[in-house]
Every structure is written in C-alpha cells, then in structure tokens.
C-alpha cells in the first residue's frame, strides 16, 4: 500500500525533525534519506508536484550537511563521501522528475550539479 507507506514515512519524518534525543547531524542525514524515499513514493502514486518537492527538500538537507563547517570536524572523511554519494542520488532523482515533467532546462541544471 503506497499511500500507507507515504503516511508512515511522514510520521517518521515528523519524529526525526522534532526529536531532541538524536543529534542534529543524524537527524538531517536521516531526514534527507527519508525525503528521497517519500519522493519516490509520491512518484509511484503519480503526484509529481509532491515528488518534486520532497526530492528538492532531500537535496537541500544534504546540502546543509555538506556546507556546515561544524559537521566536517565531527564526521569522518568516509562519511562525508557517503553524503556526497547520497546527494548525487537525490540530485539524479530530482533531475529525472524534472525531465519527466517536460522541464528539460531545469533537469539539465540539476543533473549537471550531480556530476
């Protein structure tokens, strides 16, 4: 049941975003990963607007992780490479969604960021 999976994922996302028991870095990483999954679920439902929005939020959260200088001191280099790979995956998804929505310029711009 895709709709049920989407709802459950949103509930988990709400917990992640409001939790004070999980450190900020882990919350951002897990939220970004979950948002990408939510985007894929919306895409499977045929809701391209919400799929696009969720994919963009995933990209944004990975971007915050990479741009926060405090994170670089606390996280191993191999973990940062993993975040770069995950950002690339979210960018490819976002670009693919733009392409599917017949927005080739947006798709090209996003996919070039993934390279």
């Amino acid at each position: 049941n895709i709709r049920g999976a989407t709802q459950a994922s949103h509930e988990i996302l709400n917990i992640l975003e409001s939790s004070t028991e999980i450190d900020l870095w882990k919350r951002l990483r897990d939220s970004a990963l979950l948002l990408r999954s939510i985007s894929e679920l919306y895409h499977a439902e045929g809701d391209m607007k919400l799929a696009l929005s969720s994919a963009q939020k995933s990209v944004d959260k990975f971007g915050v992780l990479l741009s926060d200088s405090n994170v670089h001191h606390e996280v191993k280099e191999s973990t940062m490479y993993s975040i770069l790979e995950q950002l690339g995956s979210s960018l490819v998804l976002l670009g693919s969604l733009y392409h599917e929505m017949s927005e080739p310029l947006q798709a090209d711009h996003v996919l070039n960021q993934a390279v």
Side-chain angles (χ1 to χ4, degrees), residues 84 87-89 91-92 107-115:
L84 279 170
L87 171 61
S89 294
L91 284 166
V92 168
D108 187 54
H109 174 72
V110 170
L111 292 171
N112 281 329
Q113 291 176 26
V115 174

Side-chain angles (χ1 to χ4, degrees), residues 59-102:
V59 167
D60 293 343
K61 285 187 185 279
F62 281 125
V64 169
L65 283 171
L66 290 171
S67 66
D68 187 347
S69 61
N70 294 327
V71 169
H72 294 284
H73 298 309
E74 300 172 15
V75 178
K76 292 189 283 185
E77 187 175 333
S78 61
T79 302
M80 292 309 290
Y81 285 126
S82 173
I83 294 302
L84 279 170
E85 288 176 23
Q86 295 301 329
L87 171 61
S89 294
S90 290
L91 284 166
V92 168
L93 173 62
L94 183 60
S96 297
L97 292 170
Y98 275 124
H99 180 72
E100 192 169 327
M101 293 180 68
S102 299

Side-chain angles (χ1 to χ4, degrees), residues 21-72:
E21 295 178 18
I22 305 169
D23 71 60
L24 179 61
W25 191 87
K26 288 181 182 175
R27 286 188 297 154
L28 281 170
R29 182 200 60 202
D30 292 350
S31 295
L33 290 168
L34 187 56
L35 281 162
R36 189 170 65 221
S37 295
I38 289 170
S39 174
E40 292 168 345
L41 289 167
Y42 279 130
H43 181 247
E45 286 181 358
D47 192 332
M48 295 301 287
K49 220 174 206 183
L50 287 174
L52 203 61
S53 172
S54 298
Q56 182 63 60
K57 288 176 186 176
S58 175
V59 167
D60 293 343
K61 285 187 185 279
F62 281 125
V64 169
L65 283 171
L66 290 171
S67 66
D68 187 347
S69 61
N70 294 327
V71 169
H72 294 284

